Amino acid sequence: MKSRIRLLLLLLAAAGLGGQAIAAEPSFSRQELLEKGFEPGTPRIDVRVARVSLPVGYKTPLHTHEGPGPRYVVRGRVRVEEGGQFNTYEPGQVFWESGQWMSIENVGENEAEIILVELTKPK
């Protein structure tokens, strides 16, 4: 009797899964966001990671950072001016900041947040 119930449950499960009796296991997923070659002038580089929040409408003055690196937009919408060019980025996008004079503005409707990764020469 128990084996018939098990068989019935297995058939019902298979019918509910479109004929597949075994559910697929979740798989690991990796998405490369940015790959950038970097030739440091010394054998060692320092890496700095910072989280930056920008209020709605906030725009930084023109400035530079200690080193180049990728920037990841966590939330919000930002407009970046660097080297005379303008680009807009949204959550999940990555951009490369080269170390030139730049400005960033929150052009979204909510607070913006980005993660900065700076590659610098040791002090």
Side-chain angles (χ1 to χ4, degrees), residues 55-97:
V56 176
Y58 182 80
K59 181 177 181 179
T60 67
L62 282 174
H63 65 281
T64 62
H65 289 264
E66 288 188 40
R71 293 5 178 189
Y72 175 77
V73 180
V74 177
R75 61 188 166 129
R77 188 167 188 244
V78 295
R79 184 172 187 231
V80 177
E81 175 189 358
E82 184 182 29
Q85 295 189 353
F86 294 86
N87 292 294
T88 301
Y89 302 98
E90 297 182 352
Q93 292 187 306
V94 178
F95 61 96
W96 182 266
E97 190 179 308

Side-chain angles (χ1 to χ4, degrees), residues 29-64:
S29 175
R30 177 180 168 140
Q31 179 183 11
E32 295 294 329
L33 298 175
L34 179 72
E35 184 176 331
K36 182 74 175 176
F38 183 70
E39 296 291 329
T42 63
R44 180 183 141 203
I45 60 170
D46 290 338
V47 177
R48 179 179 302 147
V49 178
R51 179 187 306 259
V52 175
S53 296
L54 303 167
V56 176
Y58 182 80
K59 181 177 181 179
T60 67
L62 282 174
H63 65 281
T64 62

